[in-house]
Amino acid sequence: MVKNDAEIVDIEQRQDVALKENQLHVFYQLKRNIFKDNWCGSEALIRWIDPIKGMISPGKFIPLFEKNGFVIKLDLFAFENVCKNISRMIDDGITPLRVSVNVSRSHLMHKNFLDEYFKLMKKYNVPPKYIEFELTESLVMENSEILVEIINQIHKFGCTCSIDDFGSGYSSLNMLKEFDFDVIKLDQVFFRGSNGFDDKAKKIVHSVIELCHTLNKTIVAEGVENKEIVNYLKKEKCAIIQGYYFSKPVPYEDYMTQVKKQSEEEKNKINDK
Ligand code: G
Ligand code: MN
């Protein structure tokens, strides 16, 4: 969190410069399918690399930008970047992975905000199957009718949507009932409680996974940092894992190298058949 008013003012004064002078970067964190043993997608995450201060944590600037509205510009900047990169991969003969992008709650105040997103996808010829919209639990609670409409629009356009940070807010179960999410992203808090990943946490995770499977939802476990948790999730048949254990968020070039490697391996497999 931001510590004091001076720091807030400082960040707010530098936000436009940061965008203009390319200090804001889109990093990618790969997601692993542990049963297929492959990368099955990624999440696009904003990183602010200041020439003097170095990396500024998103925890510091995102809540602030949500308050002052700058987050709208930032989300669209990140999204355009993602679209450009997917289009670049396709041009270079690389099969892209689906990228999930975070949609801030501020967008919901703007009617038809998705039009901007869809326009960008058309501009860069991005097939809709490569985009997943991540919506957070808190965003959902406040705007239920609008959200039903938004999810419809996302599906109609051919994209998917996920509920981010699942389980860290409240009324989560009701949300599963009311909204047609494709993917549930299990919040990292379950793996990092005061007692670590103890028996109680395991029982809760077990039940949530079972529930998602019953509802035919894809589940992604977030913030997985060690082998013990991976083994547990494997036992519970949770296929997709995102976390430092497999990959940290990395710059586009590093991400592209991984995706290219897998894309080539898969093409070779087909040719060998
Ligand atoms: O709220 P959301 O799920 O979008 O946030 C994801 C954040 O969690 C990112 O900032 C990402 O860098 C961070 N993150 C991803 N994997 C891990 C992990 O294994 N451990 C920790 N501590 N943080 C992680
Ligand atoms: Mn997210």
Side-chain angles (χ1 to χ4, degrees), residues 29 43 47 102 164-165 188 192 222-225 243-244 249:
Q29 186 174 32
E43 176 173 1
R47 295 289 180 260
N102 292 287
D164 204 3
D165 307 326
Q188 27 185 312
R192 255 189 288 294
E222 282 193 283
V224 173
E225 292 182 350
Y244 295 174

Side-chain angles (χ1 to χ4, degrees), residues 55-255:
M55 182 92 81
I56 304 175
S57 133
K60 271 194 178 163
F61 60 84
I62 298 282
L64 211 61
F65 291 172
E66 268 174 357
K67 275 200 202 118
N68 72 17
F70 187 67
V71 77
I72 302 228
K73 253 193 199 170
L74 191 63
D75 278 359
L76 281 166
F77 157 81
F79 190 68
E80 179 152 19
N81 223 286
V82 166
C83 289
K84 275 187 204 164
N85 287 339
I86 290 176
S87 157
R88 203 150 39 125
M89 281 190 186
I90 296 174
D91 289 347
D92 293 343
I94 302 168
T95 309
L97 298 177
R98 177 179 290 150
V99 181
S100 63
V101 293
N102 292 287
V103 177
S104 137
R105 71 169 91 176
S106 315
H107 288 283
L108 291 194
M109 324 270 185
H110 300 259
K111 219 171 144 251
N112 306 330
F113 83 90
L114 279 169
D115 291 350
E116 287 294 318
Y117 282 80
F118 296 157
K119 227 192 273 167
L120 285 169
M121 287 170 69
K122 285 184 193 146
K123 180 174 170 191
Y124 294 99
N125 279 319
V126 173
K129 64 176 176 182
Y130 292 128
I131 298 294
E132 179 170 299
F133 292 93
E134 283 197 14
L135 308 164
T136 74
E137 219 172 31
S138 57
L139 172 149
V140 177
M141 292 315 301
E142 295 157 15
N143 308 278
S144 70
E145 297 101 46
I146 303 177
L147 195 75
V148 170
E149 175 54 28
I150 286 173
I151 295 177
N152 279 339
Q153 285 181 37
I154 290 173
H155 286 153
K156 219 166 122 195
F157 197 78
C159 300
T160 51
C161 64
S162 52
I163 174 126
D164 204 3
D165 307 326
F166 184 80
S168 64
Y170 52 98
S171 274
S172 307
L173 296 178
N174 185 43
M175 282 181 4
L176 290 184
K177 183 166 83 58
E178 295 299 322
F179 306 107
D180 191 15
F181 290 104
D182 306 282
V183 177
I184 312 297
K185 295 191 80 182
L186 187 61
D187 196 82
Q188 27 185 312
V189 286
F190 292 111
F191 308 118
R192 255 189 288 294
S194 43
N195 297 317
F197 191 48
D198 60 3
D199 276 352
K200 202 167 163 192
K202 282 182 185 148
K203 282 179 188 157
I204 294 171
V205 169
H206 163 86
S207 304
V208 176
I209 294 173
E210 199 168 63
L211 178 64
C212 291
H213 286 160
T214 309
L215 296 170
N216 271 327
K217 305 285 179 194
T218 301
I219 180 156
V220 176
E222 282 193 283
V224 173
E225 292 182 350
N226 63 57
K227 181 89 188 157
E228 183 211 335
I229 300 175
V230 173
N231 288 340
Y232 182 79
L233 292 168
K234 198 170 213 170
K235 190 165 76 74
E236 296 294 330
K237 309 259 178 317
C238 170
I240 306 176
I241 295 182
Q242 179 183 348
Y244 295 174
Y245 181 77
F246 286 114
S247 174
K248 290 201 165 174
V250 293
Y252 173 71
E253 289 305 319
D254 298 348
Y255 169 68

